[in-house]
Structures are given as structure tokens and as C-alpha cells.
């Protein structure tokens, strides 16, 4: 496979030969039981807040929010008009897409993938999740699939710009400990991937792109044993 710009930047920065890669993030970490939290050393469970310069940018941009809302409403109205004028074939395509999205959402709920992990704090995934923001307070990770396993990279602290220039390796998971899995094996176009650990526990990550380079890479690999 030809490296993408994302992979190439990561490989150049980190000196890692990756098979595939993309930026990803996790959902909100639920509050662990008190004994679990204490045993882990009371780790950070949230990313750091936006840097001051980013906060200033948000304040300066606040007056434009009503305009953005108006533009969204106009766009929604325009879309509704277009739908009412759709030909029969286009309506059938849209209906099929909506049914596909319903099947996808049902599959996500059935496998409990609307949660950030499998729920077992004593499992490998739960223990790794407890350390997630101890490795880096940035809200995103560059996830790289290598021949040896999984590499996660990020800036040590949260940044608003320049994440590629500041990132460094924050965690390595050898293939003997964890593998990357598309839970739907390409059936649905989603941003969901699982880091599945050897004890069967799992952690959900969402890639920046739907059907990312990582999803495409996994489609080329043999299906993992259950």
C-alpha cells in the first residue's frame, strides 16, 4: 500500500514504518469505582482544556455563531426542497441509505459499541483506559498499525494547532497483547475501530475519517480468531 500523507508525516516524525494510520479519539471515560480509581493512582480521566489562545479565538468567534446557525437553517431548508423534487430513483436511494443507517445503529447497540470500552475496569482495556490521558493530555491520538502491533502518538500536552509537529510515541501495544479490529468487517461505513486485548476486553476508538485508511488496511488482513 502507498503511504498516505498522514502516514508519511507520522513515519517521518516518529521514525516508524507504518502499514496504515489515522488520527482518532475516544468517547467520554465513565467514572470508575472509587477503589479502582485509587488503585490506579487517581489518574486523569479527561483531556486538558483548550490552550488560552484557542479560548480567545472562540470568544472572538462567538459573534458569528448566530450567522452560522442561520446558514445551517437555510442549508437544511434547501435540502428539504431538493428532497421534495427528487426523482423516484433518488428517493429509493435515500430510503436505502436510511435503512442502512438504522441497521448500523442497531448493530452498534447490539454489540454495546456505543460505550467507550467493555465495562470491565480490571480487564486489560479498562486498565489501559485508566492511563489514557496520563500518557498525553491531548484529546486525539495518531493510531498507527505496524507489523509489530499498535503505536499511539500524540503531543504530550493538548494543543490547538501543530499536532503533527509536536507528537511523540505515547504507547506501544505489541501484537501479542492487542490487535486492531473493525467490528463490522467492512459491512458498514463507520469511524469505529476496536483495540481488542488478549483477555478479550476492548476499547473503542473513532477515526477522523469514515472508512479510514486503517479500515481499508484491516479489510486486507485475515479475520482474527474469536
Amino acid at each position: 500500500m502507498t503511504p498516505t500523507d498522514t502516514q508519511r508525516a507520522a513515519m517521518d516524525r516518529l521514525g516508524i514504518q507504518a502499514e496504515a494510520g489515522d488520527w482518532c479519539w475516544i468517547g467520554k471515560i465513565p467514572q470508575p469505582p472509587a477503589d479502582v480509581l485509587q488503585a490506579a493512582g487517581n489518574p486523569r480521566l479527561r483531556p486538558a482544556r483548550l490552550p488560552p489562545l484557542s479560548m480567545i479565538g472562540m470568544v472572538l468567534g462567538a459573534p458569528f455563531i448566530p450567522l452560522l446557525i442561520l446558514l445551517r437553517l437555510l442549508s437544511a431548508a434547501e435540502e428539504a426542497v431538493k428532497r421534495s423534487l427528487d426523482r423516484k430513483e433518488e428517493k429509493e436511494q435515500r430510503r436505502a441509505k436510511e435503512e442502512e443507517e438504522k441497521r448500523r445503529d442497531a448493530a452498534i447497540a447490539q454489540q454495546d459499541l456505543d460505550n467507550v470500552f467493555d465495562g470491565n475496569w480490571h480487564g486489560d482495556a479498562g486498565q489501559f483506559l485508566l492511563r489514557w490521558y496520563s500518557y498525553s493530555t491531548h484529546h486525539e491520538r495518531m493510531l498507527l498499525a505496524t507489523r509489530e502491533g499498535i503505536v499511539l502518538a500524540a503531543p504530550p500536552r493538548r494543543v490547538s494547532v501543530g499536532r503533527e509537529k509536536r507528537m511523540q510515541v505515547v504507547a506501544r501495544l505489541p501484537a501479542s497483547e492487542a490487535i486492531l479490529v473493525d467490528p463490522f468487517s467492512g459491512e458498514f461505513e463507520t469511524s469505529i475501530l476496536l483495540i481488542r486485548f488478549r483477555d478479550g476486553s476492548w476499547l473503542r476508538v473513532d477515526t477522523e475519517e469514515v472508512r479510514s485508511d486503517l479500515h481499508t488496511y484491516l479489510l486486507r488482513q485475515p479475520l482474527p480468531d474469536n
Side-chain angles (χ1 to χ4, degrees):
M1 295 174 62
T2 303
T4 63
D5 291 341
T6 299
Q7 287 176 241
R8 193 174 293 107
M11 290 190 290
D12 291 345
R13 172 70 180 173
L14 304 172
I16 293 174
Q17 186 64 39
E19 302 293 315
D22 194 21
W23 285 97
C24 68
W25 62 87
I26 62 171
K28 182 179 179 181
I29 299 177
Q31 184 67 28
D35 60 329
V36 170
L37 195 62
Q38 185 175 4
N42 296 304
R44 170 186 284 272
L45 299 178
R46 300 288 182 270
R49 294 183 178 181
L50 285 170
L53 287 178
S54 298
M55 297 298 293
I56 292 173
M58 292 178 64
V59 171
L60 293 176
F64 298 98
I65 291 178
L67 177 60
L68 292 175
I69 294 175
L70 176 60
L71 290 175
R72 286 183 180 179
L73 291 174
L74 291 174
S75 178
E78 182 182 6
E79 183 65 24
V81 172
K82 287 182 178 179
R83 287 189 176 191
S84 66
L85 299 176
D86 278 350
R87 297 191 300 272
K88 180 180 179 181
E89 295 81 1
E90 293 171 330
K91 290 181 179 180
E92 290 177 351
Q93 290 176 358
R94 187 174 66 252
R95 192 177 300 113
K97 182 179 179 181
E98 291 172 351
E99 289 298 323
E100 182 78 358
E101 290 173 350
K102 288 180 181 179
R103 290 201 309 115
R104 178 204 62 200
D105 293 345
I108 290 173
Q110 185 179 19
Q111 299 185 46
D112 291 329
L113 298 182
D114 41 5
N115 298 310
V116 70
F117 80 123
D118 62 285
N120 178 13
W121 288 109
H122 299 287
D124 291 341
Q127 290 296 302
F128 187 74
L129 185 62
L130 286 169
R131 304 190 299 272
W132 186 268
Y133 291 115
S134 299
Y135 296 134
S136 165
T137 61
H138 194 60
H139 61 299
E140 301 166 311
R141 298 287 185 273
M142 165 61 71
L143 193 158
L144 297 168
T146 71
R147 293 182 180 180
E148 293 75 29
I150 299 168
V151 175
L152 292 165
R157 294 177 295 278
R158 185 165 184 174
V159 297
S160 55
V161 295
R163 57 184 182 178
E164 287 84 2
K165 295 179 180 179
R166 293 176 172 85
M167 69 178 173
Q168 60 189 38
V169 173
V170 295
R172 294 178 186 266
L173 293 169
S176 59
E177 294 184 11
I179 58 173
L180 195 62
V181 177
D182 178 350
F184 306 116
S185 300
E187 181 180 358
F188 302 112
E189 289 192 2
T190 74
S191 62
I192 299 173
L193 288 174
L194 302 182
I195 299 177
R196 182 168 290 160
F197 292 79
R198 61 184 171 186
D199 65 349
S201 60
W202 53 264
L203 169 65
R204 168 180 165 166
V205 298
D206 283 77
T207 54
E208 197 165 59
E209 297 182 13
V210 174
R211 186 61 67 85
S212 70
D213 180 53
L214 288 164
H215 290 83
T216 303
Y217 164 74
L218 291 173
L219 285 175
R220 298 171 181 265
Q221 309 305 306
L223 292 175
D225 296 332
N226 293 327

